[in-house]
Amino acid sequence: MSAVFKFSYISSLYLTFCLLLVLALSAKNYDATLCHDDERQALLQFKSGLVDETDRLASWVGETSDCCKWAGITCDNITGHVHKIHLPGICAYPSDYNTIKEYNEAARQMLRGDISQSILYLKQLEHLDLSCNDFRGIQIPRFMGSLGNLRYLNLSHSSFGGTIPPQLGNLTELEVLCLGSFYDAYEFTSIINMQWLSSMRSLRHLDMSGVNLTEASDWFQVINTLPSLAQLHLSRSGLPDIHPNVASLNLTFLSSLDLSGNYFYNSFMPRWIFSITSLVSLDLSGCNLRGPPKSLGNLCNLRHIDMGGNSFQNISLTSLLRGFLDCKSPSLESLHLESSQLSCSLPNQLEQLVNLVHLDLGENGISGPIPESIGNLSFLRSLYLDGNLISGPIPESIGNLSFLRSLYLDGNLISGPIPESIGNLSFLRSLYLDENLISGPIPYSVGGLSSLESFDVSYNHLTGTLPESLGQLSKLKYLDLSHNLLTGVVTDVHFSKLIGLKTLDGSGNNLTLRPHHANWVPSFQLENLYISSWDLGPQFPLWLLTQRYLSRLDLRNTKISSTMPESFWRSFPNLELLDMSQNQIQGRLFEIPATLYEVDLSSNLFSGKLPKLFNSSMLNVLDLSNNSFTGSLFHLLCSWGGNVIEALNLANNHLSGAIPDCWVKWQSLRFLNLENNNLSGVIPTTMGYLSSLVSLNMCKNKLSGRLPASLMWLKELQILEFASNELVGSIPTWIGTELLDLRILNLRSNSFDGTISHELCYLTAIQILDFAHNNLSGNIPRCFNNFTVLSKKETTEINPDSMIFHFGYTEITNSASLVMKGQEYTYSTILRLVMFLDLSGVIPKNIGDMKSLESFDVSSNHLSGELPMSLSGLTFLSSFNVSFNNLTGRIPTSTQLQSFNESSFFGNKLCGVPLTQICGEIEHHKDQQEGDTSHGVDFGLIISILLGFFVGFWSIVIPLNVGTIWISLSKLRYMLGC
């Protein structure tokens, strides 16, 4: 028995030795070479067709090397056949990188070129991934349909183009097919007929996101023939129909469905979706679907729902989520219903969704308070309720959401204080409470938000001082406290640990910055700093010169009254935007660095010559108005070879000499204001090259000569002001025939002569027309009632932004100065409402055609003749004054005119009610045949026409002394009126 056991033991050892020998020989053979020669040659030929800028395929060399060890290649361990080519590039957008240079470097990693047919020699190839490369619009090769052993094919986001070949339908073993795109510049793949997909019975994952399927009317029927399908992604594909009335599908294994970004015109939520009980993820966002899906059914397995960007009007969240609320253990983790026109309140039942991690209900019409029960969603990481009508306070229970990373409550009607419990959210990274009605102080507990990166409480009613605990937020990058009622002193303690801060916006508060140390060097390096209306002065804050990465700097109205440091420009090599207006900064300004796009140094005490611009300058907006610059314009205008400035404001300085004739270089200019200087000479003809000009203001100078005919080329012009100069000649007829968009025309106080031509009546959009104090004669054109805005024949509402123009960060609000009853008033933010006509002579017979006239004041002039009978038709008059003229005859009878006080008619030779003077027998004359004119010789009639709610405006405007107040809605103001 022992001998048998001994033999058996020796036999076992022998067999084990043989097995180890075989394995050793196999390992030795593997180490030597697994790769087949023909497959190596196929791969080398495949490489030769590609462009590989960064040598990703550097290992693909040699006639004898083992191709199984090449980058991206995997072989079968036993047979040595290549079964996997895995060469994806980098899938990213430019926005994913800090600089364009970084993105371009990443883009170089992408393969491009042609796909060689040599891969057909890889008979055992199961996996081919060329995604996220750049094949620049070439078609997917038809021969790929011959790779019959493929299980995995991914060509997504690789800039293929043309029609996807139906030969891919021969890949009957395929389990994963990804052909999606991002609509790249070189990629727009499409499918007309999807029938070839029906042969892929093993397909589990199908992604055609971004492929043009607008002609694929059979998509729904074909998808229903793929019984193994688990994931279907057809987002942004232009699907023609979602088949809302189909009750069910055969896709019993489908776990993920993405049809987002397909615009189904006014289609209802499809019924068949609720029959797929295996769904775990559902994305129907941006599909323009209409409700009601009265509930989402009993889809208790669903973890992720995104149905934002649809129309679920008159549907409550309670009814929408009833299916989940009825589940014994709801699995829902992510719910996105943003921009879905919901107009309900937040139900307490939300607390039943105990596994909820992400909740986005932003940009709806949700009203009412945030329920205290929100604090029971203990796993919540992101909460978006922004852009709703939510009111009431932020509940204290918000502090229970200890895992919260993102909290967006901005753009609501939330009131009350910020709760102290907010400081419990130690994982919070983003906190947006801006544009609400939140009051009280910022709680000291915010210092506990140790992970906070973005904090925005702008446009609220916050009061008190800044808590010093803000200085503990070491990860903070973005801080916006702007436009509140904050007061008190800010010191370096408030910024002590803000080492990562990049943007600080505290503008519009009454704060005073006083560092404890005069040589304070902040721990941060800011890129954007907006602290307008803070008290930084009177000396220039030297700590600012340490911020070498600043790109945008707004120090408007900060009480600085010293000179600008000599090293100022050198300290900010990356500066693009600068606003230091409304200070009292002194000294000279020698140059504007080429990096700047927008500069506002208006309302300071700068003196000397205008600064120099570099030929490489990218300056878009330059405002040096309201300073004490002297000398010629030549240095600024003619020594520069650029062509990008759109707005130039040099008003209210002491500039002198002729206007240079070098405007050919300034063809991008849209706004030009040179008013209130000492400029003389004629208007250059080259100003006609300013083809983009919208507003031109040269009032209050000493310009002479005639208006050059080249100005008729300024077809975009809306505002033309030359008042208070020494211009002569007749008012050109081309103003009426060529400058058809004019809304303000002010030629007051010049030496124009001749008559007013009837061509001016083509200016149908005119709001303000002032020719007073010239040497004009003749008759007033009868056709002035063609002014459709003045006469309100144009019934469309005037756009609130019609006198505001935008240049990136900058807004320009136009203004105009108008003389009324001997007083000059300046209008800016309400300029769109002002209608003004300054003419003279007799009151035109057809004044009654201006049906919307509400205020009529021509007092203290030299008007003669009778009051026209048509005045009786002005039924909207609320203010009327013709006193102290030379008017005669009977006051026309109407309900309106007789209701005014008799003082409105004093100082004339008028009779009739409301005057006590009774009219004698009056000879009734027929109205003269006026043709196109009414008689008149003196230009002093003022008609102020104020639309709509402008009724009674005088009681507001005059006390405000609008002639001296410059009102603006913008970061950078322009005073473009005389």
Side-chain angles (χ1 to χ4, degrees), residues 731 754-762 769 771 776-787 837-847 849-850 930-937 939 941 943:
I731 297 176
T755 61
I756 301 176
S757 65
H758 69 275
E759 282 84 0
L760 291 177
C761 296
Y762 293 119
L769 179 64
F771 293 160
L776 298 170
S777 60
N779 300 319
I780 301 171
R782 184 180 181 184
C783 59
F784 78 95
N785 65 316
N786 288 353
F787 301 151
L837 182 63
D838 196 335
L839 300 169
S840 79
V842 299
I843 299 175
K845 300 293 184 183
N846 54 347
I847 188 68
D849 290 346
M850 307 187 80
E930 297 179 349
D932 289 335
T933 63
S934 295
H935 296 293
V937 294
F939 282 77
L941 168 63
I943 303 172

Side-chain angles (χ1 to χ4, degrees), residues 883 891 898-907 913-917:
S883 62
I891 297 173
Q898 273 65 49
S899 67
F900 295 114
N901 191 283
E902 59 181 341
S903 61
S904 297
F905 302 91
F906 282 169
V913 180
L915 295 175
T916 56
Q917 183 177 356

Side-chain angles (χ1 to χ4, degrees), residues 219-237:
W219 79 270
F220 190 74
Q221 291 78 13
V222 170
I223 294 302
N224 202 26
T225 64
L226 304 176
S228 302
L229 203 60
Q231 296 201 32
L232 176 60
H233 303 271
L234 299 178
S235 66
R236 297 170 290 103
S237 296

Side-chain angles (χ1 to χ4, degrees), residues 481-498:
L481 311 166
S482 63
H483 302 286
N484 279 285
L485 304 172
L486 298 170
T487 57
V489 177
V490 179
T491 70
D492 46 325
V493 176
H494 291 87
F495 305 106
S496 56
K497 295 183 180 179
L498 304 187

Side-chain angles (χ1 to χ4, degrees), residues 10-24:
I10 294 174
S11 299
S12 298
L13 287 176
Y14 178 76
L15 290 174
T16 301
F17 172 77
C18 292
L19 180 60
L20 289 173
L21 181 63
V22 171
L23 291 175

Side-chain angles (χ1 to χ4, degrees), residues 60-292:
W60 290 33
V61 291
E63 296 294 328
T64 59
S65 63
D66 189 358
C67 65
C68 296
K69 297 180 180 179
W70 290 354
I73 301 300
T74 303
C75 298
D76 185 278
N77 289 336
I78 303 300
T79 67
H81 286 293
V82 174
H83 73 81
K84 185 175 184 179
I85 299 178
H86 191 73
L87 296 173
I90 299 177
C91 286
Y93 287 114
S95 58
D96 296 328
Y97 295 87
N98 294 324
T99 65
I100 292 296
K101 182 179 179 181
E102 290 181 13
Y103 170 73
N104 289 337
E105 186 60 33
R108 292 180 64 240
Q109 304 285 329
M110 298 180 182
L111 300 173
R112 61 180 196 272
D114 295 314
I115 299 176
S116 172
Q117 197 167 347
S118 63
I119 58 172
L120 294 180
Y121 288 97
L122 308 176
K123 302 294 185 181
Q124 301 303 315
L125 190 64
E126 297 180 0
H127 180 112
L128 177 58
D129 189 341
L130 299 176
S131 62
C132 299
N133 287 292
D134 183 9
F135 289 99
R136 303 197 172 186
I138 68 171
Q139 189 175 24
I140 296 173
R142 292 181 176 86
F143 62 74
M144 281 192 174
S146 299
L147 296 170
N149 207 41
L150 270 185
R151 268 69 169 172
Y152 180 101
L153 177 59
N154 190 349
L155 304 178
S156 61
H157 320 319
S158 288
S159 298
F160 287 100
T163 303
I164 294 174
Q167 286 83 356
L168 294 183
N170 297 328
L171 305 177
T172 55
E173 301 297 321
L174 210 59
E175 297 176 5
V176 175
L177 177 60
C178 300
L179 302 175
S181 80
F182 281 162
Y183 287 99
D184 290 333
Y186 300 99
E187 180 173 76
F188 197 91
T189 49
S190 62
I191 296 177
I192 297 176
N193 188 315
M194 295 181 67
Q195 193 59 45
W196 53 270
L197 275 169
S198 58
S199 61
M200 298 181 179
R201 309 287 291 179
S202 300
L203 201 62
R204 294 184 294 105
H205 182 113
L206 175 61
D207 186 351
M208 290 190 177
S209 300
V211 177
N212 185 357
L213 302 179
T214 55
E215 301 296 324
S217 58
D218 59 346
W219 79 270
F220 190 74
Q221 291 78 13
V222 170
I223 294 302
N224 202 26
T225 64
L226 304 176
S228 302
L229 203 60
Q231 296 201 32
L232 176 60
H233 303 271
L234 299 178
S235 66
R236 297 170 290 103
S237 296
L239 293 174
D241 191 3
I242 199 171
H243 301 275
N245 297 319
V246 174
S248 62
L249 283 183
N250 296 327
L251 304 178
T252 54
F253 296 103
L254 193 65
S255 62
S256 180
L257 174 63
D258 182 1
L259 302 181
S260 62
N262 289 289
Y263 192 87
F264 301 112
Y265 183 72
N266 280 336
S267 181
F268 287 98
M269 184 69 69
R271 296 166 54 196
W272 54 267
I273 284 178
F274 306 108
S275 70
I276 308 174
T277 56
S278 56
L279 272 181
V280 173
S281 176
L282 173 64
D283 191 345
L284 296 176
S285 61
C287 287
N288 194 41
L289 296 172
R290 291 187 293 136

